[in-house]
Structures are given as C-alpha cells and as structure tokens.
Amino acid sequence: MLILDAQIHVWKASTPQRPWPADAIEPQRPVPLEVPEVAGELTRAGVFGALLLGPTWEGSRNDYVLATAAADPSRFGAICRWATGSPAEAERLADWRSIAGMRAIRMSLNRGDVLGVLTAARRSGFFAAAERFGVPLSIYAPGRYDLYRDLAEEYPGLKIAVDHAAVETSDLPLAEAVAPLAGLAKYPNLAVKASALPCFLDLAAEARPYPSITEAVYRLVEAFGAERVFFGSDLSRLPVPYADLVDVFVNHLPGLSDAERALVCGRGLAGWLGWSEALGE
C-alpha cells in the first residue's frame, strides 16, 4: 500500500552562514530533524514518502525542502512558506509549477495577528491567485472553523487542507475535538490532515494502538470521505514511536474498506495534490 506522510518538519541548525531569525521561537526538539533521519524513519515504518515543511523557527525558508523534493520528487514534496501579503509574490504564483518539488503553500494561523494576515492576503490578491493558478494551501488555524468556512465559500476553487484536524490541545477527547469539522465537509474544496493526532491524546491513560485515533479517523472519513482525509505525523514533536502511529492507520482501521484505507494512507493526498510522481505516473 502506498503510504505518504502529509507533514514532517525538517530543518538545519542556525549558523552564521544560515542563521535563524533573531526572534525565533524554540524548536520542537534541540537537535535538528534533517532529511537522512526522516528517510530512515520512513523506511523502517514502511512509509514511501512525505511532504516536508520548514518550521517557523527557521524563518520563511524553503531552500532545504525544495532541494530535497527536487532531488527525489517521487518520495518527497515541499510545502512552502510564502509572503502572502505581497502583491508581487501573489503574482509569482502564476509560475509556481515551474518550482521543482513544490506541492503546496502553508499558512500558520495559530498565533499572532491572524486577522491582519488574512486581510493582507486578501488585499494582495494571494488567495485569488492561488485559486486561479491551482495552488493547494495547507492552513493551520486550530478552532477557527469560521475562517475555513469563509475561505471555502469566498474561493470555491481553492483547495485547502485543514492541518492537524484544527486541533491544538488535549483538552477534549480526540473524537470530540475533531467533531466540529463535520460542519465543513459540505465544501468540496476542503480536506483534513489527520496529522499530529498522538499529540492531542492523554498518553498516560491510553496506550497503543490508541483507539481514540481510530475513532477520530472514522468520524473524519464519515464526514469528508476517505479521499479527503490524509494521514500525517508531524514527526518532530511526535510523542509516540513513528512506526506505532503508522500501524494504527495500516492495521487498526477495520471499519474502513481496503480502498478507503489506501486513500487515507496516501492515495487521497497524492490525488488531492496532483502528485503523479508518488503514484508512479
């Protein structure tokens, strides 16, 4: 079965030649997660490939993920950071398909002036250009269901993946935390990354194979269909062994058909992004 991970952060250490921003937030782990380590984890877990994303603490850099994806486009794809408030950068989206390895753009809207960022992206023409030129977006805006709804209605041709199922904490049982997304399933241009889910579990009370993840995935698939629910790990902060999480999706979703499980594990993501290389096309 084709297994693709919908999001893994990779980064390099801050050096004088490649410095991080002066106001960088703390990374998710002290040792950078670089591509060779990721490749090893994928191989051991039986995962074919992954979408790579530079983290916010490294700044708005795309060089590492793009170089990796360009070198092996069947195994890796790049989710890029973009200057969404710049009209000039919005115009550059007309040529985005010429950027080797690029598969999507990420907007992190979980902190800071979210309304200001959205307003600037509308004024710059970023959302309209992304819709016009077929650039998929990955947006992390936990709990902001109105934000996803408004964008889906305003730009019906714009593909938007809801990162980490719009969850940020373990305050609620996972199945309850993902339940509000069902109200967004009617928008065909929205999909959901079932990513980072172990981060939102009470792991003192729940052990492998993490039945809460199974229940949450069932709820998402029931609402969106298997073709719009994507497995992902967010490996750099994963609190459980990577292979254990992969095992949940491969062997502990008995309520899904083989075809549905194949879509959730990777084929749905590849189809959503038009990632033909991963499909061997």
Side-chain angles (χ1 to χ4, degrees):
M1 180 167 58
L2 176 67
I3 307 174
L4 299 171
D5 193 318
Q7 182 177 310
I8 296 179
H9 287 297
V10 292
W11 68 97
K12 292 180 173 292
S14 181
T15 65
Q17 296 74 31
R18 196 175 183 278
W20 294 359
D23 59 349
I25 64 172
E26 283 294 313
Q28 290 172 341
R29 58 179 236 180
V31 178
L33 180 56
E34 298 192 28
V35 172
E37 182 180 348
V38 169
E41 289 278 6
L42 298 182
T43 298
R44 287 188 290 273
V47 176
F48 177 75
L51 293 178
L52 304 179
L53 171 65
T56 53
W57 54 86
E58 200 183 35
S60 297
R61 302 190 71 113
N62 299 314
D63 55 337
Y64 191 30
V65 295
L66 282 173
T68 302
D72 194 352
S74 65
R75 192 175 195 194
F76 295 112
I79 306 176
C80 294
R81 305 284 179 179
W82 209 263
T84 60
S86 165
E89 290 299 299
E91 291 180 6
R92 281 188 62 220
L93 293 179
D95 300 317
W96 78 278
R97 294 184 189 278
S98 68
I99 303 174
M102 181 174 171
R103 300 294 172 189
I105 288 174
R106 169 67 178 264
M107 296 184 73
S108 299
L109 300 177
N110 56 322
R111 61 174 64 91
D113 183 11
V114 173
L115 179 58
V117 171
L118 287 170
T119 299
R122 284 186 169 94
R123 288 177 176 170
S124 73
F126 169 77
F127 289 122
E131 179 183 40
R132 179 181 177 187
F133 298 115
V135 187
L137 303 187
S138 284
I139 298 180
Y140 187 39
R144 298 177 183 268
Y145 308 108
D146 290 351
L147 182 157
Y148 290 111
R149 181 203 64 206
D150 292 347
L151 289 175
E153 291 181 348
E154 191 173 350
Y155 306 97
L158 177 60
K159 286 185 173 181
I160 300 171
V162 178
D163 282 7
H164 308 330
V167 182
E168 190 169 37
T169 72
S170 58
D171 293 347
L172 293 174
L174 186 57
E176 291 183 27
V178 305
L181 286 173
L184 299 175
K186 64 182 180 180
Y187 300 105
N189 56 328
L190 293 182
V192 180
K193 286 186 188 175
S195 50
L197 298 187
C199 300
F200 314 127
L201 299 180
D202 179 0
L203 292 172
E206 185 169 351
R208 178 184 177 187
Y210 318 113
S212 291
I213 295 178
T214 296
E215 184 180 356
V217 172
Y218 284 164
R219 286 202 177 192
L220 293 172
V221 170
E222 181 180 10
F224 286 83
E227 69 279 1
R228 289 192 285 147
V229 178
F230 312 139
F231 156 72
S233 69
D234 211 19
L235 178 60
S236 54
R237 63 171 174 147
L238 196 63
V240 305
Y242 185 58
D244 287 358
L245 176 59
V246 175
D247 179 65
V248 174
F249 282 80
V250 174
N251 297 311
H252 296 280
L253 295 173
L256 301 187
S257 68
D258 289 346
E260 288 173 324
R261 191 166 60 255
L263 285 167
V264 171
C265 284
R267 290 196 171 274
L269 177 67
W272 180 261
L273 297 177
W275 191 358
S276 57
E277 293 92 339
L279 293 170
E281 298 174 353

